[in-house]
Amino acid sequence: MESDSRPPPYYENFAYQPENAASHRYFGGYNMYPQYPPPYYPPSVPHYVPRISTHESTPVPTIAQPKSTKICTPRLRKILLLILAIAILLIGAAIACVLIWFFVTDSCYGSKIRCGTQGVCVSPSQWCNGVNDCPDGEDENRCVRLYGPDFLLEVYSSKSKKWYGVCYDDWNNEHGKTACEDLGYNSNTYFRSKPLPLNTVSRSFMRLNKSAVDTDLHKKLYNSDQCPSLQIVSLRCIACGTSSKVWNPRSRIVGGTAASPGEWPWQVSLHIQKIHLCGGSIITPEWIVTAAHCVDGAYSHPFDWTVYPGIMTQQEMRPHRGYRVAKIISHPNYDSTTKNNDVALMKLQHPLPLDEFISPVCLPNPGMMFQSDQQCWISGWGAKFQRGNTSKELNAAMVPLIDSTICNNKYIYNGLILPTMFCAGYIEGKVDSCQGDSGGPLVTRKNALWWLVGDTSWGTGCASRFRPGVYGNMTVFADWIYRNMQVTFSEIF
């Protein structure tokens, strides 16, 4: 009978190591990963065992202590016990105060979203679903999105439960800034609004009521079957997806080549205690996208992380202070076993200064589809070969997207590729992401802009035959990202 055992996904990140790091140690009788019969996990595929720096313990010499000539009296013992009891009570009171403060000030802990200042929390799935779950209905009256590669502005109608384009008549930049704030962007990053010609003859629209004095954009809009200008709004909330370098695809992370400053300006290095653990992508001056497995468990505390943007080598990062993280939001349905929904957001304490070397990548809008074999690029400080040290310099490589039906073949990943992920690379191996690239971007160029297609998630080995890299699917995650940006923005501003 054919065995149905399949290799579990594992990722290779953690951490930047200098070239003189200690060599691998192998321990007899112990295997970090379970063995699987071929063809699902052929013995020819090497396993990566993360390096762990170890230090031999030095025996502490025993020092003879002089015997005390004083005897601890009962009175002294009582005083010490009293002091100890008071100290325990004070520590307990401090812990209780911290917990009370946390739950009172941040009642929407976990993945839930606060409804304005009402103190009511709802899940992201309850936003823009046609039902007023918040007391003031704010979960339904700020439902805007950007559609397709042309950034068409659309507004959701809770009555008809449909999305409508916005007629350009009477539209201006102030309305554009308000719509961008509803999306979760800071109006300081506002780029532009422009008209686009209608591509259909008859359809419904949202139009502005010129006489409305309400500052709420949603209340100024109404349904209409006519748009006199025959133009609809295209809205860019941030200048994203541009590179200061001439587009020069490089086809060689494993099999990669060194990047130059400004070539991949959205790439960041994520550090804990001055050690590179993962990569990430800038989507706004305040927000970073990375993988959920990077911030899982012991790595989930935001204050432990430092973000380094616009720097090419790990050595250059050491003297810089970097940018601290204020909040980490992991996808609520992330599964550490299957790597399903492997995406997380980092909210920075202070916004990044955008320039030609530090710039956001574009999030894929609803309606965008990326085809199999489409050329994409990965970048990061991951190892250049399996079991190697993570790189000192930023590298990049071109990898094509692979159809999920091919990647789920029993000789490749045998059904492990879920709708929230996809494969990219080559069936024969040779070019791939590796240890240290986790959470970093996979991007493609479309309509003269760079789009974030995925985040580096997991894989078996590095550049191994029949084991291409697996990435989180940003076309699935973009809606979740925007909803978290929307509400977190309203909480702060």
Side-chain angles (χ1 to χ4, degrees):
M1 180 180 291
E2 184 181 16
S3 171
D4 62 353
S5 298
R6 296 177 297 182
Y10 69 90
Y11 52 86
E12 302 183 82
N13 58 340
F14 315 132
Y16 172 73
Q17 298 171 342
E19 292 296 331
N20 60 355
S23 59
H24 285 284
R25 297 186 181 185
Y26 297 92
F27 300 88
Y30 178 79
N31 191 0
M32 178 167 289
Y33 299 105
Q35 298 298 311
Y36 297 88
Y40 306 121
Y41 207 86
S44 60
V45 179
H47 294 202
Y48 171 74
V49 181
R51 300 182 178 215
I52 301 175
S53 300
T54 59
H55 303 277
E56 294 185 7
S57 59
T58 304
V60 179
T62 302
I63 301 176
Q65 298 293 334
K67 294 182 179 181
S68 175
T69 57
K70 295 183 179 181
I71 300 175
C72 184
T73 65
R75 181 180 179 184
L76 180 59
R77 191 180 298 114
K78 289 180 179 180
I79 293 174
L80 292 174
L81 289 174
L82 180 61
I83 293 173
L84 180 61
I86 293 172
I88 292 173
L89 287 173
L90 291 174
I91 293 172
I95 293 173
C97 288
V98 170
L99 291 174
I100 292 171
W101 174 85
F102 175 79
F103 286 108
V104 170
T105 59
D106 190 7
S107 58
C108 296
Y109 59 92
S111 61
K112 292 202 170 181
I113 299 172
R114 181 181 292 109
C115 296
T117 59
Q118 299 296 319
V120 178
C121 304
V122 299
S123 67
S125 62
Q126 292 175 283
W127 280 65
C128 303
N129 63 354
V131 179
N132 289 337
D133 296 295
C134 291
D136 294 333
E138 56 261 51
D139 57 316
E140 300 300 319
N141 61 21
R142 293 176 56 233
C143 299
V144 295
R145 73 179 186 183
L146 304 176
Y147 187 85
D150 292 324
F151 298 90
L152 300 180
L153 175 63
E154 292 189 333
V155 177
Y156 184 74
S157 170
S158 58
K159 292 182 179 179
S160 60
K161 294 181 173 55
K162 292 181 180 180
W163 292 91
Y164 296 98
V166 178
C167 183
Y168 195 76
D169 294 67
D170 303 310
W171 188 264
N172 58 42
N173 284 328
E174 291 306 312
H175 298 316
K177 290 180 180 180
T178 303
C180 286
E181 289 180 354
D182 285 346
L183 274 164
Y185 288 95
N186 190 321
S187 60
N188 293 332
T189 67
Y190 176 77
F191 187 47
R192 73 182 180 204
S193 293
K194 72 175 185 178
L196 288 179
L198 292 176
N199 54 13
T200 58
V201 177
S202 61
R203 58 175 294 183
S204 295
F205 309 94
M206 286 288 187
R207 290 186 62 184
L208 279 168
N209 181 358
K210 291 188 295 184
S211 61
V213 294
D214 201 295
T215 57
D216 190 331
L217 177 63
H218 196 275
K219 294 178 180 178
K220 290 182 179 181
L221 296 169
Y222 66 96
N223 282 99
S224 174
D225 293 332
Q226 296 183 356
C227 180
S229 66
L230 299 180
Q231 294 176 318
I232 52 177
V233 177
S234 170
L235 178 64
R236 295 279 303 277
C237 294
I238 193 168
C240 62
T242 58
S243 173
S244 63
K245 299 298 178 183
V246 175
W247 183 48
N248 180 27
R250 299 166 181 236
S251 60
R252 272 196 16 95
I253 300 189
V254 176
T257 55
S260 57
E263 192 171 12
W264 313 105
W266 43 82
Q267 173 81 57
V268 297
S269 177
L270 305 179
H271 284 216
I272 285 184
Q273 296 180 354
K274 299 184 179 179
I275 296 176
H276 167 83
L277 293 189
C278 283
S281 304
I282 301 169
I283 56 171
T284 80
E286 295 91 4
W287 289 100
I288 306 295
V289 173
T290 188
H293 76 251
C294 289
V295 295
D296 194 25
Y299 301 96
S300 61
H301 198 287
F303 300 148
D304 292 337
W305 289 91
T306 306
V307 177
Y308 291 92
I311 303 177
M312 296 293 100
T313 68
Q314 292 294 322
Q315 290 89 338
E316 291 179 90
M317 297 178 194
R318 293 174 183 172
H320 290 268
R321 296 181 61 183
Y323 292 81
R324 305 309 299 269
V325 176
K327 188 174 186 178
I328 292 177
I329 307 172
S330 288
H331 197 288
N333 297 323
Y334 167 64
D335 188 320
S336 60
T337 302
T338 63
K339 299 298 176 287
N340 193 24
N341 296 301
D342 192 8
V343 65
L345 288 169
M346 286 184 170
K347 177 74 166 60
L348 301 180
Q349 293 183 9
H350 303 286
L352 300 174
L354 301 185
D355 55 28
E356 62 177 319
F357 306 111
I358 303 174
S359 180
V361 65
C362 296
L363 282 174
N365 296 323
M368 293 186 67
M369 300 294 292
F370 301 107
Q371 304 299 322
S372 298
D373 295 325
Q374 182 157 336
Q375 290 186 342
C376 296
W377 279 260
I378 47 177
S379 54
W381 288 269
K384 295 181 181 179
F385 55 91
Q386 188 164 311
R387 296 183 180 178
N389 296 314
T390 46
S391 177
K392 294 179 180 179
E393 60 188 5
L394 180 64
N395 292 284
M398 191 278 285
V399 289
L401 298 183
I402 302 175
D403 190 279
S404 291
T405 58
I406 296 175
C407 215
N408 267 327
N409 182 287
K410 68 176 183 178
Y411 296 105
I412 303 179
Y413 283 123
N414 195 26
L416 293 176
I417 307 305
L418 304 176
T420 61
M421 54 185 81
F422 57 83
C423 296
Y426 302 90
I427 301 301
E428 64 272 21
K430 298 182 181 179
V431 180
D432 195 9
S433 53
C434 198
Q435 172 198 357
D437 291 320
S438 286
L442 180 138
V443 298
T444 193
R445 187 175 169 88
K446 186 179 180 68
N447 287 24
L449 295 175
W450 290 95
W451 303 83
L452 185 63
V453 180
D455 64 305
T456 304
S457 182
W458 63 274
T460 302
C462 300
S464 300
R465 191 182 183 196
F466 298 132
R467 297 293 185 268
V470 184
Y471 302 83
N473 188 347
M474 284 298 150
T475 61
V476 175
F477 299 145
D479 185 53
W480 174 82
I481 291 172
Y482 274 120
R483 287 182 182 177
N484 281 280
M485 284 173 52
Q486 284 173 336
V487 180
T488 307
F489 180 87
S490 66
E491 288 176 2
I492 296 174
F493 297 94

